[in-house]
Amino acid sequence: MTSPTKTQRQLRYLLLGTLFVWAFLLNISYGSVEISIRNIIESVMGNNLQEPQLDYIIHQYRIPKAITAVIVGAGLSISGLLMQTLFKNPLAGPYVLGVSSGASLGAALYLMGASALSAFLPHWLMGNWSTTIAASIGSFSVLFIVAAVATRIKNTMALLIIGLMFGSLSSAIVSILAFFSSKESLQRFVFWTYGNLGNLRPSEIGILGLFVGIGSLLSILNTNALNTMLLGDDYAISLGVSLKKTHLIILITTGLIAGSITALVGPIAFLGLAVPHICRLIWDTSNHKILIPTCLIMGAIFMLISDSIAQLPGSANVLPINAVTALFGSPIVIWLLIRKKQIQL
Amino acid sequence: MPLEFRNLIIGYRDKSKLKEIAGPFDIEIPEKKLIAVIGKNGSGKTTLIKTIGQQLAALKGGVYLNEQSLQNISNNQRARLISFVYTTTLSSENMTVHELVALGRYPFLHWFSKPSKKDADCIKEALIFTALEALAETKIHELSDGQKQRAFIARALAQETPYMVLDEPMSHLDHHHKAQLLSLMKKLVTEKNKTIVYTTHDIENAISHADYILALNEGKSFFNTPKNLIEKGVFDRLFPKDRVYFDSATNRFLYHDSKSK
């Protein structure tokens, strides 16, 4: 078995690009009102539609949501890839560092803890942004702790365990909070954990785009160093890679991406773990030069399709996006693995 | 550009305690020679290699290259002087032989820079030299042990370093592949002017093939040509039990003395 030839690869890139455009348009078209792809294209081109309310829906709701899906999907996939390479573990995902647990804890403390104290807190602290701010504080505190630990210890396995401990610790605190909180605030927290792509203000989308953009750029710049990490620590050091520096860059990149996504959109799981595997299996390589761009596009496609399914076309109901990604993604990964009969990092 | 061990003591730091394993060494490694480091498990062979690779700090003294302590030169500079072949398994074997060998060019790339014509030539030459050209697009996990070892040597060769350090390169190989690997290593010395340091616990093999031997045993060390070490009776003193060995080629038990040249 040899790896795919150059033309085969180019063909796959072309296919991926087409799939992306299709998924993007599909995502805009589905929702409580179905909009034809022709209408979408006309509206995007600047032509006024016969029904002006469709124009409004497309520009105010659908396009921002589709852009959010692209950013979130791309960001989670790239950070999942980085974590799998760093920990040399195919089960690692963007959340193993505990940043999303930190975000959940922050959100829980605000949604379930602070509501009891709301009478005593200043009014501005209870505004629209508060959940986001609380979740951000949670995720970035954990990131800060993880980065501080990483500068002290060389062993990545210890980092992995520390991340898991943060997860257990914060879910324990969340359970206790949930036990004592009112029905309404518990429900608000549960809804937050479902994830929501459609609630973001343009400024929030901008922040998300900035973080994911910086993270992706840092990953691309470190392509060669990431590849040497596939050889193991001994070889990476012998090739002149500064492991501490590279580890720190990977941790901060992942933390920024996963932390900001969890804070703004909610803890969307699974995608970050699955997409890198799908890319490795389809492209039959572990080379980051190919994996980084394909993970970005594939993650976006995956998120767009998941969100389209979540809209339950033809119905007014919307499923939790967090459930759909796993529901739709797990069979794909299982099928690919059974077909290839081999798992490689 | 000689490689030197100056007053070097190797070992581990366990918290604040120092655990000396071998040394002090005061050795100047002769250039463009095949040098075997022999000793039993735990004698310090791997510790020495990790110390050369700066993964372990020397407890005392240091490794010097061209009058400069390796501790004081940058990671990148070191990677252009010494390449390594380890026994560790890769984190991922899902790469082609070409991709593996290409990683040897890492010290010459900057950030995202693309491989140059020079890089491509180096990779190609390394593949030809190790007779892996036909397997260039084969995945590492599909190679035999002997082919794998050659691929790792090709990767080190692409790194274009004057020194190559190999940790137990022959440990998993059968007779035929051992011989093949040894002739490749000798060819690297004679045709590519490399200085090769390799560890082995096959004393016979080291005596018959290496130009120089560094023998380690319970903290003591001896460094000289095999002939000289035999004349001084070093092997008899250091490895008395190893005097009798089983030669699988002839299916007979043999003595050291019967084979020493």
Side-chain angles (χ1 to χ4, degrees):
Chain A
M1 188 179 75
T2 54
S3 51
T5 62
K6 208 174 172 187
T7 30
Q8 272 173 318
R9 284 222 167 107
Q10 281 169 343
L11 204 68
R12 281 180 208 183
Y13 277 122
L14 193 71
L15 208 69
L16 208 60
T18 320
L19 201 62
F20 175 76
V21 174
W22 172 78
F24 194 81
L25 291 175
L26 186 81
N27 186 268
I28 294 174
S29 117
Y30 282 169
S32 45
V33 186
E34 212 165 305
I35 304 171
S36 74
I37 295 209
R38 201 175 142 191
N39 275 345
I40 297 168
I41 293 170
E42 293 232 330
S43 170
V44 172
M45 300 293 273
N47 302 334
N48 286 335
L49 300 183
Q50 285 172 344
E51 299 164 88
Q53 70 272 29
L54 283 188
D55 247 339
Y56 185 78
I57 291 174
I58 289 172
H59 287 282
Q60 293 302 311
Y61 292 100
R62 300 286 175 86
I63 290 181
K65 186 162 69 80
I67 291 173
T68 309
V70 169
I71 297 171
V72 169
L76 288 176
S77 308
I78 201 89
S79 48
L81 174 68
L82 292 178
M83 286 296 97
Q84 288 170 5
T85 302
L86 173 69
F87 291 119
K88 304 173 179 71
N89 189 331
L91 286 176
Y95 296 149
V96 291
L97 293 180
V99 285
S100 83
S101 310
S104 296
L105 182 60
L109 278 173
Y110 166 71
L111 289 173
M112 301 192 294
S115 54
L117 304 168
S118 59
F120 308 103
L121 292 173
H123 182 67
W124 57 266
L125 211 64
M126 305 303 291
N128 279 333
W129 284 77
S130 308
T131 317
T132 306
I133 292 170
S136 306
I137 292 172
S139 63
F140 289 112
S141 326
V142 173
L143 173 63
F144 185 75
I145 296 169
V146 169
V149 171
T151 54
R152 252 156 255 257
I153 52 169
K154 251 194 195 164
N155 191 351
T156 51
M157 197 51 79
L159 272 183
L160 196 61
I161 294 168
I162 289 170
L164 282 172
M165 290 303 112
F166 268 124
S168 310
L169 202 67
S170 59
S171 64
I173 298 172
V174 170
S175 306
I176 293 171
L177 281 171
F179 186 73
F180 286 110
S181 74
S182 69
K183 210 171 96 188
E184 290 75 26
S185 50
L186 179 60
Q187 198 177 25
R188 276 168 72 198
F189 178 71
V190 170
F191 272 115
W192 179 80
T193 63
Y194 285 160
N196 192 340
L197 296 172
N199 255 356
L200 265 57
R201 283 165 278 256
S203 55
E204 289 173 319
I205 297 176
I207 291 171
L208 208 57
L210 186 72
F211 279 172
V212 173
I214 291 173
S216 310
L217 192 70
L218 277 172
S219 315
I220 290 168
L221 287 173
N222 281 288
T223 302
N224 294 326
L226 285 167
N227 277 336
T228 66
M229 292 183 73
L230 295 176
L231 300 177
D233 289 352
D234 286 340
Y235 279 113
I237 294 171
S238 83
L239 282 164
V241 176
S242 164
L243 279 188
K244 251 186 187 171
K245 199 180 92 188
T246 313
H247 286 178
L248 207 59
I249 290 174
I250 295 176
L251 287 176
I252 289 174
T253 305
T254 309
L256 284 178
I257 296 177
S260 58
I261 288 176
T262 318
L264 289 165
V265 182
I268 295 178
F270 184 78
L271 194 117
L273 188 152
V275 170
H277 285 302
I278 295 175
C279 292
R280 274 190 209 103
L281 290 164
I282 294 178
W283 262 260
D284 192 24
T285 185
S286 292
N287 192 341
H288 289 80
K289 209 166 157 181
I290 294 163
L291 283 185
I292 291 173
T294 47
C295 270
L296 287 171
I297 307 174
M298 191 64 98
I301 294 172
F302 205 96
M303 200 71 213
L304 286 166
I305 295 178
S306 296
D307 183 55
S308 308
I309 296 174
Q311 300 301 324
L312 284 179
S315 130
N317 288 321
V318 179
L319 292 176
I321 184 71
N322 206 350
V324 177
T325 50
L327 216 56
F328 156 63
S330 327
I332 297 181
V333 177
I334 294 170
W335 175 71
L336 279 169
L337 282 177
I338 291 171
R339 226 174 52 112
K340 295 270 178 173
K341 292 191 177 76
Q342 178 148 34
I343 177 137
Q344 283 276 348
L345 195 61
Chain B
M1 196 163 44
L3 183 70
E4 287 171 86
F5 305 146
R6 288 191 193 165
N7 200 19
L8 175 69
I9 297 179
I10 57 170
Y12 290 91
R13 277 184 174 78
D14 193 10
K15 284 167 195 160
S16 56
K17 274 184 236 159
L18 301 181
K19 192 173 173 283
E20 284 184 23
I21 290 180
F25 304 108
D26 259 305
I27 297 165
E28 189 179 318
I29 303 284
E31 289 176 71
K32 292 158 200 170
K33 296 280 188 251
L34 189 61
I35 293 119
V37 180
I38 62 169
K40 291 175 188 161
N41 288 334
S43 60
K45 289 174 299 192
T46 304
T47 313
L48 180 65
I49 284 192
K50 284 189 172 173
T51 311
I52 298 173
Q54 300 296 300
Q55 283 156 288
L56 275 177
L59 296 187
K60 223 184 137 197
V63 183
Y64 286 76
L65 224 168
N66 208 12
E67 298 293 316
Q68 243 188 333
S69 169
L70 281 186
Q71 227 176 336
N72 297 336
I73 68 172
S74 72
N75 292 338
N76 184 272
Q77 248 180 308
R78 190 187 66 242
R80 289 164 185 242
L81 293 169
I82 311 176
S83 55
F84 290 82
V85 173
Y86 292 107
T87 46
T88 47
T89 45
L90 301 181
S91 302
S92 168
E93 295 199 328
N94 186 22
M95 61 176 92
T96 63
V97 172
H98 186 274
E99 280 173 323
L100 174 74
V101 176
L103 283 174
R105 299 304 295 169
Y106 177 79
F108 304 90
L109 301 173
H110 299 283
W111 289 75
F112 190 54
S113 71
K114 284 213 170 117
S116 65
K117 170 95 172 45
K118 168 108 198 314
D119 294 322
D121 289 345
C122 263
I123 295 162
K124 199 174 172 200
E125 209 192 310
L127 287 170
I128 294 170
F129 196 83
T130 51
L132 285 170
E133 232 193 339
L135 294 171
E137 293 305 318
T138 310
K139 297 273 184 179
I140 301 298
H141 62 77
E142 291 163 333
L143 298 179
S144 71
D145 284 343
Q147 289 167 338
K148 244 181 226 182
Q149 206 56 269
R150 259 154 55 208
F152 287 124
I153 288 179
R155 190 210 57 82
L157 186 57
Q159 215 173 321
E160 278 194 304
T161 55
Y163 289 87
M164 287 171 98
V165 177
L166 287 69
D167 193 10
E168 295 285 352
M170 281 167 282
S171 57
H172 298 296
L173 303 181
D174 58 29
H175 250 38
H176 166 71
H177 284 108
K178 259 185 201 175
Q180 204 180 42
L181 191 68
L182 260 170
S183 74
L184 177 63
M185 281 156 65
K186 285 181 176 173
K187 228 172 79 175
L188 282 166
V189 172
T190 52
E191 291 175 27
K192 296 273 177 189
N193 292 323
K194 304 282 181 194
T195 307
I196 297 186
V197 177
Y198 74 103
T199 61
T200 177
H201 41 241
D202 187 344
I203 298 171
E204 279 301 316
N205 195 304
I207 291 173
S208 22
H209 298 286
D211 298 315
Y212 287 84
I213 291 179
L214 173 59
L216 302 176
N217 193 22
E218 286 165 11
K220 287 174 285 186
S221 64
F222 298 88
F223 181 75
N224 216 315
T225 58
K227 191 164 170 268
N228 183 295
L229 290 178
I230 289 166
E231 281 166 5
K232 284 187 187 158
V234 165
F235 299 117
D236 300 337
R237 260 185 293 136
L238 288 187
F239 314 106
K241 281 178 197 153
D242 295 328
R243 288 191 58 186
V244 183
Y245 70 98
F246 181 71
D247 189 332
S248 53
T250 55
N251 276 333
R252 275 191 311 150
F253 282 99
L254 297 175
Y255 289 94
H256 259 316
D257 306 15
S258 63
K259 216 185 172 186
S260 54
K261 290 165 192 169

